[in-house]
Amino acid sequence: MIDPNILRARRTQMGLSLEKLARKAALSKSQIHKIEQGKAGRPNETTVTRLAKALELTPEQLAGKAPIENGEHHTVWEPRRVSTGYRMTVQNRNALAFVARRYRVPAAHILELAPLMFHILAGLSLKARREALDEVFAMFRALDDANGKLPHLGPVASNSVELDDLLNAEDEAIRKRDLLSLDLTREDGENPFVHFLNTQLAAITAPEEREQDGVHDWDGFRTPDYTICSSDLSAFCQGDEDAIHGLSVGWIGFHDIPAELRADDRAGERLDWLKARYAEAKREADRKWAEAGLDILLEGEGQ
C-alpha cells in the first residue's frame, strides 16, 4: 500500500521530478503519476519496494504506518500521538473520506486541523453577528435622531421593551460566545451558527451540489447532520441511488470498501460491491424496523 500524499510530498522534498523518480525506481512516469493521483488501485509489492527504495523510505513509511526521516538532513520530530477516544458516525466518517479525496490531503491531517478550522468558523460567525447587531443599533440611533424633524407627525417610535430585550440578549450571547443561542432561535428557524455555516457553504458549493449539500441540523446535543461533496459521492457510485443512499446515511462505511476497489479503473467492480453491501444493510435495517414495530409506520408514510 502507498499513501499518495506521502509519495508526492517525499518526491518534492527530495527535488525529484516524476521523470527522475521513474528512472530511479525503474517504473514508468505515468504509473507514478497515477499512484500520486490515487488512481492506480493497489500497487503490487515490487512497485512499493522500488518506490520506497528510491525515496529512501521503508514500505511502512511510504504507507504512512511509520514515522519518516527527512532524508540525509535530520529526523522529523514526531509529536506524541494519542487516541482521541471520540467516536464518529459512519455518515460523517464517510464525509471525511470524500473531503480527503477531493482536496488530496490525508484524512488524519483534516482531523488535526479540525480545532483550528472550528475556531476560525466560530470566530467569523460571532463577528458577522456582531457586525449585524451594530448595524441594527446604528439604524435605531438614526431613527432616534430623526425624531422632531417632522414635528407634525409626532415622535417616531424607534424601540419597544420587547425589542430592546431581544437585542440586548443577542449582545450578551455574542459577548459570551454562545454560538448556537438556542434560547434566541425561533422554533421554525436555524440557529445562528448553522445559518452561518450554510451561508458559507452556499458560497463555495457547485451548482450541481446546491440541492443536496448543507448543514441540516446541529443543536449542540445531537451529532451534527450535514451533507457535503455530493457530486463526488454520486460520481464514485456512478449515479446509483442505492449506493449513494447507503454511503450518505452511513449504512455503508467508506473505510469498509476494499482499497483496491476505490481506484477509478475499478468503478464497475466497486458498484457491484456497493450494491451487494447496500442490499445486506437494507435487509438488516428492515429487520430492526420490524422488531421495533416501525415497518407499518414506514409503509404508511411511503418510506
Side-chain angles (χ1 to χ4, degrees):
M1 182 176 177
I2 295 175
D3 186 317
N5 300 291
I6 292 177
L7 171 59
R8 184 167 53 249
R10 183 67 169 185
R11 176 176 64 79
T12 302
Q13 180 189 60
M14 295 180 68
L16 296 173
S17 64
L18 283 170
E19 188 174 353
K20 288 182 179 178
L21 178 57
R23 288 200 302 267
K24 191 174 181 181
L27 298 169
S28 71
K29 176 181 173 182
S30 61
Q31 183 180 8
I32 297 175
H33 179 67
K34 284 182 179 180
I35 295 173
E36 287 192 356
Q37 298 299 310
K39 299 179 179 180
R42 191 180 186 90
N44 60 42
E45 186 176 346
T46 300
T47 299
V48 174
T49 302
R50 288 181 179 181
L51 281 173
K53 183 177 180 180
L55 294 170
E56 301 173 10
L57 298 174
T58 65
E60 290 73 21
Q61 289 172 323
L62 191 55
K65 297 179 179 179
I68 298 176
E69 294 186 350
N70 191 12
E72 300 175 354
H73 307 291
H74 64 278
T75 300
V76 177
W77 176 71
E78 280 291 316
R80 180 170 175 261
R81 297 184 181 279
V82 296
S83 175
T84 63
Y86 301 117
R87 295 172 65 85
M88 292 179 69
T89 64
V90 177
Q91 176 182 349
N92 290 346
R93 183 171 177 178
N94 289 347
L96 172 64
F98 278 100
V99 169
R101 284 171 65 89
R102 172 174 288 196
Y103 297 106
R104 298 175 184 174
V105 295
H109 290 187
I110 297 174
L111 290 175
E112 296 274 12
L113 286 167
L116 171 62
M117 291 188 286
F118 189 92
H119 172 65
I120 291 171
L121 286 171
L124 289 174
S125 171
L126 293 172
K127 181 174 181 287
R129 287 170 66 185
R130 170 58 65 193
E131 291 173 349
L133 185 61
D134 288 347
E135 186 177 343
V136 171
F137 279 140
M139 291 169 61
F140 281 126
R141 284 194 296 270
L143 190 56
D144 286 336
D145 293 342
N147 280 327
K149 292 187 178 181
L150 297 171
H152 61 288
L153 297 180
V156 179
S158 63
N159 54 32
S160 68
V161 174
E162 183 179 357
L163 182 58
D164 279 347
D165 288 346
L166 190 61
L167 294 178
N168 288 331
E170 172 70 350
D171 181 66
E172 179 74 5
I174 295 171
R175 287 194 296 104
K176 289 183 176 180
R177 300 190 181 95
D178 182 0
L179 283 180
L180 303 181
S181 298
L182 298 179
D183 54 335
L184 299 178
T185 302
R186 301 190 318 272
E187 290 186 9
D188 60 343
E190 296 177 322
N191 70 61
F193 191 53
V194 167
H195 176 75
F196 175 79
L197 292 177
N198 277 324
T199 300
Q200 301 305 307
L201 187 59
I204 64 168
T205 300
E208 64 271 17
E209 294 181 323
R210 287 174 186 162
E211 185 176 341
Q212 299 292 329
D213 286 18
V215 182
H216 310 306
D217 184 40
W218 184 46
D219 59 7
F221 301 100
R222 291 168 293 185
T223 299
D225 180 18
Y226 56 87
T227 300
I228 51 176
C229 301
S230 57
S231 64
D232 292 357
L233 173 61
S234 179
F236 186 77
C237 297
Q238 295 184 277
D240 185 87
E241 292 185 2
D242 287 346
I244 293 171
H245 182 254
L247 282 166
S248 63
V249 303
W251 282 7
I252 304 171
F254 185 89
H255 57 285
D256 292 326
I257 303 172
E260 62 271 17
L261 295 185
R262 300 175 195 172
D264 290 347
D265 59 358
R266 304 288 293 276
E269 296 168 81
R270 177 173 66 242
L271 181 57
D272 290 340
W273 186 94
L274 287 170
K275 292 175 74 170
R277 181 58 65 92
Y278 176 81
E280 179 183 328
K282 189 175 187 307
R283 284 193 298 271
E284 179 63 14
D286 288 342
R287 182 186 64 79
K288 290 181 178 179
W289 286 334
E291 289 179 354
L294 298 177
D295 52 333
I296 297 176
L297 293 176
L298 289 171
E299 288 175 5
E301 297 176 359
Q303 298 198 45

